[in-house]
Structure formats: structure tokens, C-alpha cells
Amino acid sequence: METKKQKTWVIIAIIVLGIIAFLVPNKITAQGVKRIDLQKHDLSTPGKEMVQARIDFEAHSAFGKHSHPGEEVIYVVEGSLEYQIEGEKPVTLKAGEVLFIPAGVVHSAKNNTNVKASELATYIVEKGKPILAMKK
């Protein structure tokens, strides 16, 4: 009987951890990379919303290949970051420079320097859908 209770508690723990992981997907995205959601608003286009986040990259950190179901507009706030967009040559942007990434396009970002770098990312996505899709 104890084994059945233990299995039940293990299943409950797995479910709870899964729910927590689903509800807080943007808190830890990659080692050395921290995402802070700043705002989220419905747009005048039905079914669309804007999500804005600050992403901080520690020295020599990276966020691997991923895509978004909508457009991403990037503004580099500080430092410099290298972006690799699928099918294109890598581009390195410094503070004050911008980048547009079309919906569904696989890309990655990397801080190749010895100092922190940050970007302001604005996503235009379908309301209620996940913002991030990781690629392996």
C-alpha cells in the first residue's frame, strides 16, 4: 500500500513541477541569459498582442537556435551581440542598433565579449500562443 501512495505523490510532484515550468518559461532561458518581461498589450489587430522583454546576456553567453510565431524587433541596449539568422551571415550589433526577425525564422544570439550585453525585444504574436519555440 505504501508503494501506491509513493507513486501517487511522485505523479503529483511531476504534475506540479510541469505546471510551474509551463507557467514560468521565461525566467531561466539559457545559462548566463536572463529574460525580464516588461509589458504585454493587445493590439488593434484582432487576435494579436505585443510582448516586450529585456534580455540580459552575461559575458560569453548565448541563447541557442529558436524561433517565434510572430515578428521580433530587437534594439541592442548595451554591449554588442552577434545574431545568426537562418540562411544569412552572422551580424554583430552594438548598442543603439536594431534588427528585424520575421515570424518563424530560426535564429540565435551570442555575447562574444567580456562584458554584459542587453537587448530590448518586442514580439508581435498571436494572442495566447507561446512566444518561444526552441530548436535542437
Side-chain angles (χ1 to χ4, degrees):
M1 196 61 145
E2 281 299 315
T3 304
K4 194 172 187 178
K5 284 183 181 179
Q6 289 173 337
K7 285 181 183 177
T8 301
W9 282 110
V10 168
I11 291 170
I12 290 170
I14 291 170
I15 291 170
V16 168
L17 290 173
I19 290 170
I20 290 170
F22 177 75
L23 292 176
V24 191
N26 298 325
K27 298 303 177 201
I28 300 172
T29 51
Q31 189 171 4
V33 179
K34 180 181 174 187
R35 177 186 164 138
I36 303 164
D37 288 339
L38 301 172
Q39 60 176 330
K40 179 191 265 189
H41 295 283
D42 290 345
L43 297 177
S44 58
T45 305
K48 296 285 186 174
E49 68 182 354
M50 177 279 304
V51 178
Q52 198 167 55
R54 179 182 173 121
I55 296 92
D56 296 319
F57 293 77
E58 295 299 325
H60 301 284
S61 64
F63 195 96
K65 292 181 180 182
H66 65 284
S67 66
H68 306 281
E71 290 78 13
E72 179 179 12
V73 181
I74 295 169
Y75 173 80
V76 178
V77 176
E78 66 179 303
S80 67
L81 293 163
E82 178 186 287
Y83 296 92
Q84 175 67 60
I85 298 174
E86 189 173 59
E88 297 183 21
K89 291 182 180 181
V91 60
T92 300
L93 302 179
K94 61 182 188 270
E97 295 183 313
V98 296
L99 180 66
F100 176 82
I101 301 174
V105 174
V106 175
H107 59 284
S108 61
K110 187 185 324 182
N111 179 357
N112 293 320
T113 71
N114 293 323
V115 297
K116 176 182 163 187
S118 300
E119 69 176 30
L120 178 66
T122 303
Y123 309 95
I124 308 299
V125 295
E126 285 186 52
K127 186 175 175 142
K129 291 213 174 175
I131 293 174
L132 180 67
M134 293 300 294
K135 302 295 178 189
K136 293 186 180 190

